[in-house]
Amino acid sequence: MGVAIIRVLTRNDQAFLDTHGEILRSTFGVDYVTRCIPGQPNGIHSDETFALAVPKIVDLGREMAALPGVTSVFVSCAADPGVPELREFLDIPVVGAGSAGAAVALASADKVGVLGITEEVPAVVRAMLGSRLVADLVPDGVHNTTDLMAPSGRASALRGAEQLKMRGASAILFACTGLTTIGLRPEVAERIGLPVIDAVLAGGSVLQHLEVFSRA
């Protein structure tokens, strides 16, 4: 399986961009190629940055889908930007981290708390969770995905997960793939004792299922 991974955070450091791909490789054994969209050094963190990103993601996704060996496209962003549009153009699976994460959360718990970086829960996540979304929270001092990379952002995210548990959540869904980048899931799970759904890992499980299904 060859996955084309689209990062929505602009970086020149390929090792950094490959972080999510390496997680998918080590967990699911997938081959991958990662590229990022241009001109968005703070990723997607508002309606405006979402709108700016969509056409870039569509162009990049169509380009990467034509690469030899690519059998699926993964948009590594919990807002699923460009996913519906890419599905109209491509005849291979297109998976978004947000909808994949929400699907796994629905399979895991009746009361889901969402930890993200935007005032509003990403629309695709909110729509899928419906009444099972019991609480959502943005960590103090975190305004975009790059803020999570600072020690203060990590500590704030940990506190946020604890607060979601106090507000009745029986599972935590990460609605920002920057939380994957900083490797927060094991620490949160150990600290609060609840299932923690990482959207990148959820996307990998969907991609693996689609590959198995295509061979059946």
Side-chain angles (χ1 to χ4, degrees):
M1 175 170 59
V3 181
I5 301 173
I6 297 176
R7 299 291 303 272
V8 302
L9 180 67
T10 306
R11 287 287 189 277
N12 293 321
D13 182 352
Q14 190 61 45
F16 173 87
L17 293 177
D18 285 342
T19 303
H20 296 176
E22 285 302 305
I23 290 170
L24 296 184
R25 188 202 298 276
S26 63
T27 306
F28 302 103
V30 303
D31 291 325
Y32 71 91
V33 57
T34 305
R35 293 183 184 173
C36 67
I37 61 173
Q40 301 206 204
N42 292 315
I44 293 175
H45 52 87
S46 64
D47 291 343
E48 180 183 12
T49 52
F50 181 98
L52 285 171
V54 168
K56 301 175 188 178
I57 291 167
V58 171
D59 288 345
L60 182 57
R62 295 179 73 182
E63 176 185 329
M64 294 180 77
L67 295 173
V70 167
T71 58
S72 58
V73 174
F74 178 51
V75 179
S76 194
C77 174
D80 280 17
V83 170
E85 293 84 354
L86 274 174
R87 286 173 176 163
E88 293 182 5
F89 286 111
L90 302 181
D91 58 1
I92 59 176
V94 179
V95 174
S99 51
V104 173
L106 288 171
S108 304
D110 293 327
K111 298 178 180 180
V112 181
V114 172
L115 188 67
I117 61 169
T118 54
E119 275 190 35
E120 296 292 330
V121 173
V124 65
V125 174
R126 180 176 292 277
M128 288 183 65
L129 294 181
S131 62
R132 289 162 74 175
L133 171 60
V134 298
D136 64 274
L137 185 146
V138 177
D140 290 337
V142 173
H143 306 289
N144 56 60
T145 190
T146 57
D147 291 335
L148 292 169
M149 299 176 197
S152 59
R154 183 185 188 90
S156 185
L158 282 167
R159 291 193 299 271
E162 291 174 330
Q163 291 171 35
L164 288 171
K165 180 179 180 178
M166 293 173 62
R167 291 165 61 180
S170 56
I172 306 297
L173 170 60
F174 287 171
C176 175
T177 59
L179 293 163
T180 304
T181 304
I182 65 172
L184 197 65
R185 188 189 67 81
E187 193 171 352
V188 171
E190 181 178 0
R191 180 172 295 196
I192 67 174
L194 295 179
V196 179
I197 295 91
D198 179 300
V200 173
L201 287 172
S205 67
V206 173
L207 290 162
Q208 185 182 55
H209 176 81
L210 289 170
E211 177 67 10
V212 170
F213 178 78
S214 70
R215 293 178 179 176

